[in-house]
Amino acid sequence: MNNNDEAFNVYKRTCPAYTEEYSEIHRTEPYVYCQMVAGPEAPTPGEGKNSWLTGTAAWTFVDVSQHLLGVQPTFDGLKIEPHLPPNFGELHIERTWRGTRYIIDVTRTGEQSLTVDGQPVSGTVVPTAATGTEEVHVALTI
């Protein structure tokens, strides 16, 4: 909802890599998601339950790749619209989609522009590559 800082903070609060300091309390592997974390009234507050049994990792991948990194497949092409805090100055993303490898470089400059294989494109959607195209180079400035 146009609050990139808060979106990333929500991700950090649930991502195992950012919650390592709690892994002794969670009593789960520090690199997996669990189904739930026991609340303050539970006999073992903070303990993670049912790790490895959820679809959370897959949904988090969708969330991060399509919404935070902003590489979202659409009918007309790949929409490139990152939603990351300002301290992310540059990103390099590689994504294979519909048989084509998209090499995407994002640079934060304060100006909005999108080029595909060196040609300017209006908006934020990279058109679908022609059948047989192996690579597409995308440069986005935000």
Side-chain angles (χ1 to χ4, degrees):
M1 302 308 295
N2 296 322
N3 189 339
N4 297 344
D5 288 325
E6 183 57 22
F8 193 71
N9 283 334
V10 168
Y11 168 67
K12 284 177 29 178
R13 288 194 299 267
T14 60
C15 177
Y18 285 100
T19 59
E20 172 59 26
E21 64 190 82
Y22 304 109
S23 59
E24 291 301 317
I25 297 168
H26 282 273
R27 296 177 47 119
T28 60
E29 301 87 340
Y31 45 83
V32 299
Y33 287 93
C34 52
Q35 187 175 27
M36 55 85 66
V37 175
E41 283 91 30
T44 54
E47 187 173 285
K49 308 291 183 189
N50 301 330
S51 63
W52 295 100
L53 299 177
T54 72
T56 304
W59 279 112
T60 300
F61 175 76
V62 169
D63 223 16
V64 169
S65 65
Q66 293 188 19
H67 301 286
L68 288 176
L69 295 178
V71 181
Q72 188 173 43
T74 70
F75 184 74
D76 297 319
L78 279 180
K79 180 172 140 183
I80 314 291
E81 198 173 271
H83 294 282
L84 292 166
N87 63 327
F88 282 80
E90 295 182 359
L91 298 171
H92 177 80
I93 304 164
E94 295 188 19
R95 163 78 192 258
T96 300
W97 182 62
R98 294 186 179 172
T100 301
R101 185 170 155 222
Y102 290 81
I103 300 167
I104 304 162
D105 289 298
V106 180
T107 307
R108 191 180 297 274
T109 64
E111 300 290 325
Q112 178 86 23
S113 70
L114 177 67
T115 61
V116 178
D117 289 331
Q119 300 300 311
V121 174
S122 63
T124 60
V125 177
V126 176
T128 305
T131 303
T133 303
E134 291 184 20
E135 282 186 359
V136 172
H137 294 266
V138 178
L140 173 69
T141 59
I142 53 175

